[in-house]
Amino acid sequence: MFYIEEEAAMAKAESIIRELLEPTGVVINGSNPWDIQVHNPAFFDRLLRDTTLGLGESYMEGWWDCQSIDQFITRVMLARLDEKFMRETRFIMLALQAKLFNRQSMRRAYEVGIRHYDLGNDLYKAMLDKRMAYTCGYWKTASNLDEAQEAKLDLVCRKIGAKPGMRILELGCGWGSFAKYAAEKYGVEVLGVTVSKEQVALGMEMCEGLPVELRLQDYREVSGIYDAVVSIGIMEHVGFKNYRTYMEVVNRCLKPDGVAFVHTIGSNKTLTHGEIWTDKYIFPNGVLPSISNLSRAMEGLFVIEDWHNFGPYYDPTLMAWTANFEAAWPQLKAKYGDVFYRMWRYYLLTSAGGFRARHQQLWQVVFTRRGTPQPDCRYS
């Protein structure tokens, strides 16, 4: 009797999932690249119970496959199925925790460095471009990943008016891709800080002989005065309780006539926490800022000079990273293992699908203090 009831429950769960997917054009065990192939019938009940966490974990465990996960996710996002699943209890609990506690406090700041950025420089060397830029490339005139990342770095330098002799502070410096490029091409001096010891070690090696210093340090601890303050990919880790603190650090460190710059993934709506699977497996304590988050944090301190969105370029960036990762996997497999492969592939392809659906954006924001001559923010 128990097994009959269990089978009936699984059949009901499958029926519900099929009905939810119908507007997306995704067919269970269908023949299109975006259709999902279910290997374990318990998948449907798990998806209803655990929503996006269950979707990601069940993929990691081999319960389902999809030839083109990015296309599957794009269709799901365009149908806004994620919003239906976001009402799940654990999302509500994450939101409550975020409001009660500062999940991006200084005490917890190094967690993402240890769990994500310190995974292994061999992984990131294989996946990224030759300069190891782990943010969206600028593909306006680029034909490959290396060109897109150099175009992005040059765009940043031009937007802040980089020139010989300038001292630049970079909050969240990664492996030093911007610092190295700016020092080589524009003759500037750069101090960069990161919460990843592996990034500091490799970054200082890559920047050897240049006027570049990379430190293992939280952005809140930085001091000194700089001609420009730049961040390329740190705002996703700052957290909604700390956006104002971040802007106060920029204000403290920026010369009176200096230029500040932020490059960040952005959310179409204000959030207090990240997506539950991503929070657990990829970016602990991460959350995307919204336009209102950033504008409120700048209020009374800065003038917004330019707000540039090239979010669609994250799709080709992520697909290029995926291709590099897949090509390098035979050399990485022994160290990282099959579960990691499925997790990392899921992370990259679901991210690409999200950007393709315009679920997330990529912003570059230039801002100054009142009275500063307006910088040249042309994108060509």
Side-chain angles (χ1 to χ4, degrees), residues 71-274:
Q71 292 187 55
F72 163 60
I73 291 298
T74 298
R75 287 170 172 268
V76 167
M77 292 291 187
L78 289 174
R80 301 196 171 187
L81 292 192
D82 59 304
E83 295 178 6
K84 295 180 181 179
F85 284 128
M86 282 287 281
R87 302 187 186 101
E88 199 264 338
T89 305
R90 268 167 291 199
F91 283 109
I92 299 170
M93 290 302 297
L94 263 181
L96 180 60
Q97 290 173 12
K99 289 179 180 178
L100 293 176
F101 307 105
N102 187 351
R103 299 184 71 224
Q104 299 82 17
S105 65
M106 287 184 66
R107 183 176 61 84
R108 304 181 69 165
Y110 292 85
E111 184 178 352
V112 70
I114 294 167
R115 289 181 51 193
H116 187 85
Y117 298 106
D118 289 347
L119 276 170
N121 285 331
D122 56 343
L123 168 67
Y124 292 110
K125 277 184 176 180
M127 186 180 83
L128 304 177
D129 65 296
K130 64 183 180 183
R131 290 186 175 273
M132 295 189 70
Y134 194 19
T135 50
C136 182
Y138 190 56
W139 294 79
K140 186 174 182 180
T141 60
S143 59
N144 59 58
L145 182 62
D146 286 339
E147 290 178 3
Q149 294 295 11
E150 289 216 353
K152 184 265 300 296
L153 297 173
D154 197 69
L155 184 65
V156 177
C157 289
R158 288 186 285 114
K159 284 183 176 183
I160 63 172
K163 56 182 180 291
M166 282 181 64
R167 296 183 70 238
I168 298 175
L169 171 64
E170 185 181 9
L171 304 176
C173 61
W175 289 272
S177 59
F178 167 77
K180 185 174 189 291
Y181 184 90
E184 286 176 339
K185 304 294 184 180
Y186 285 85
V188 304
E189 177 185 338
V190 184
L191 168 64
V193 298
T194 173
V195 292
S196 166
K197 63 181 178 60
E198 293 295 332
Q199 288 183 332
V200 170
L202 180 57
M204 284 304 297
E205 181 182 318
M206 293 171 66
C207 295
E208 186 178 0
L210 294 170
V212 171
E213 179 187 359
L214 307 182
R215 294 179 187 168
L216 184 67
Q217 189 176 41
D218 183 74
Y219 71 92
R220 284 161 283 209
E221 300 175 307
V222 177
S223 59
I225 301 297
Y226 301 85
D227 298 288
V229 180
V230 171
S231 73
I232 307 173
I234 191 181
M235 292 303 298
E236 300 91 335
H237 304 299
V238 168
F240 84 106
K241 284 184 176 291
N242 306 304
Y243 296 131
R244 182 67 176 188
T245 299
Y246 172 91
M247 293 301 169
E248 288 170 347
V249 170
V250 176
N251 188 48
R252 182 180 76 219
C253 294
L254 188 65
K255 286 176 64 174
D257 59 349
V259 179
F261 172 94
V262 164
H263 170 118
T264 184
I265 300 173
S267 171
N268 293 325
K269 61 182 180 180
T270 297
L271 304 171
T272 58
H273 60 86

